[in-house]
């Protein structure tokens, strides 16, 4: 089975999910789909208010990492507290970068995707920045672009299939050390297919 057949096979079971997400997003948008000229139609904002309230409750408080230090010697507890403060600092940096990208905080975006789609897919990791310092990555992916496949022991395969403007693709290529193909003149968007296989606990990225 070639790459195109593999990705198509991964996508097929999730067609119904994406249709349901489209329907939920249409309700959330408050678009009057029943409007007809010459007839009266009304749209209530109850669904959107309910979802927005849930998003607020889920994302209002900043995460507070806690390490289990109760059974540690007193001399060691200070190190745990220092590690907790370090984690809070990392989350603050990630949140600030996420907010500056126009998507709100990481918690808000996570709650929104979970409430509207019922799923949350996130790429997290630690990369090496251009200055040699660690770069803490946290990036939520659109649910409709994500296609997992599961087996008896958990996830076996995963496809992230999406389209972005050329300049965004170039930023991603630099961040992840990808080789960009020659797109030719006039290209506006780039389709990216991230394909992963999980074998014996090892993630293989193609």
């Amino acid at each position: 089975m070639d790459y195109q057949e593999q990705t198509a096979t991964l996508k097929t079971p999730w067609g119904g999910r994406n249709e349901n997400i489209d329907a939920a997003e249409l309700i959330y948008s408050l678009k009057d789909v029943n409007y007809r000229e010459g007839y009266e139609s009304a749209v209530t904002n109850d669904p959107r208010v309910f979802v927005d309230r849930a998003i607020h409750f889920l994302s209002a408080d900043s995460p507070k990492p806690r390490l289990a230090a109760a059974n540690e010697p007193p001399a060691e507890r200070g190190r745990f507290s220092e590690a907790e403060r370090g984690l809070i600092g990392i989350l603050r940096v990630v949140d600030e970068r996420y907010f500056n990208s126009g998507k709100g905080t990481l918690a808000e975006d996570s709650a929104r995707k979970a409430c509207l789609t019922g799923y949350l897919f996130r790429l997290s990791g630690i990369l090496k920045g251009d200055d040699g310092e660690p770069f803490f990555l946290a990036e939520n992916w659109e649910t409709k672009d994500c296609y997992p496949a599961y087996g008896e022991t958990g996830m076996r395969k995963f496809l992230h299939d999406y389209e972005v403007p050329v300049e965004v693709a170039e930023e991603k290529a630099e961040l992840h050390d990808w080789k960009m193909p020659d797109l030719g003149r006039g290209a506006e968007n780039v389709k990216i297919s991230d394909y992963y296989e999980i074998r014996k606990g090892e993630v293989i990225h193609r």
Side-chain angles (χ1 to χ4, degrees), residues 187-203:
E188 296 182 356
N189 294 321
V190 178
K191 183 177 181 180
I192 301 176
S193 292
D194 274 336
Y195 179 72
Y196 302 84
E197 289 186 2
I198 296 89
R199 299 178 183 173
K200 297 181 179 180
E202 182 181 357
V203 179

Side-chain angles (χ1 to χ4, degrees), residues 121-183:
F121 297 101
R122 176 187 296 163
L123 175 66
S124 302
I126 303 176
L127 306 177
K128 186 175 182 180
D130 293 335
D131 56 1
E133 295 295 318
F135 179 90
F136 298 96
L137 176 67
E139 178 183 312
N140 290 340
W141 288 343
E142 294 297 329
T143 301
K144 292 191 294 184
D145 297 333
C146 297
Y147 304 92
Y150 299 93
E152 293 296 326
T153 58
M155 189 181 296
R156 297 185 298 107
K157 299 177 182 178
F158 188 89
L159 173 67
H160 183 212
D161 195 54
Y162 60 111
E163 193 170 283
V164 294
V166 171
E167 56 270 21
V168 175
E170 290 173 342
E171 290 177 1
K172 286 181 172 290
E174 183 177 355
L175 177 64
H176 296 285
D177 197 25
W178 296 341
K179 183 178 179 180
M180 280 284 290
D182 183 8
L183 301 175

Side-chain angles (χ1 to χ4, degrees), residues 4-130:
Q4 296 295 333
E5 291 174 328
Q6 285 181 322
T7 56
T9 301
L10 280 173
K11 285 184 173 184
T12 300
W14 298 102
R17 175 203 64 180
N18 287 1
E19 291 176 1
N20 290 337
I21 292 173
D22 287 337
E25 289 177 342
L26 182 61
I27 295 172
Y28 182 77
S29 72
L30 303 182
K31 182 178 179 180
D32 189 355
V33 296
N34 295 314
Y35 172 78
R36 297 292 184 275
E37 188 174 352
Y39 294 86
E40 291 188 3
S41 180
V43 175
T44 175
N45 67 345
D46 288 353
R48 183 159 190 152
V49 170
F50 179 83
V51 172
D52 286 347
R53 186 173 297 174
I55 292 171
H56 171 73
F57 288 149
L58 289 170
S59 62
D61 292 333
S62 300
K64 297 178 178 62
R66 290 289 182 265
L67 302 178
N71 297 324
E72 298 294 328
E76 293 293 321
R77 293 176 189 172
R79 296 176 59 188
F80 279 79
S81 297
E82 185 177 343
E84 289 174 352
R85 291 193 295 272
L87 289 172
I88 291 172
I90 291 170
L91 290 172
R92 188 178 296 120
V93 169
V94 169
D95 241 0
E96 181 178 348
R97 186 169 63 245
Y98 213 83
F99 186 84
N100 290 338
S101 70
K103 294 179 285 190
T105 66
L106 182 64
E108 288 171 346
D109 188 55
S110 301
R112 183 174 296 106
K113 285 180 169 56
C115 288
L116 282 174
T117 74
Y119 296 82
L120 178 61
F121 297 101
R122 176 187 296 163
L123 175 66
S124 302
I126 303 176
L127 306 177
K128 186 175 182 180
D130 293 335

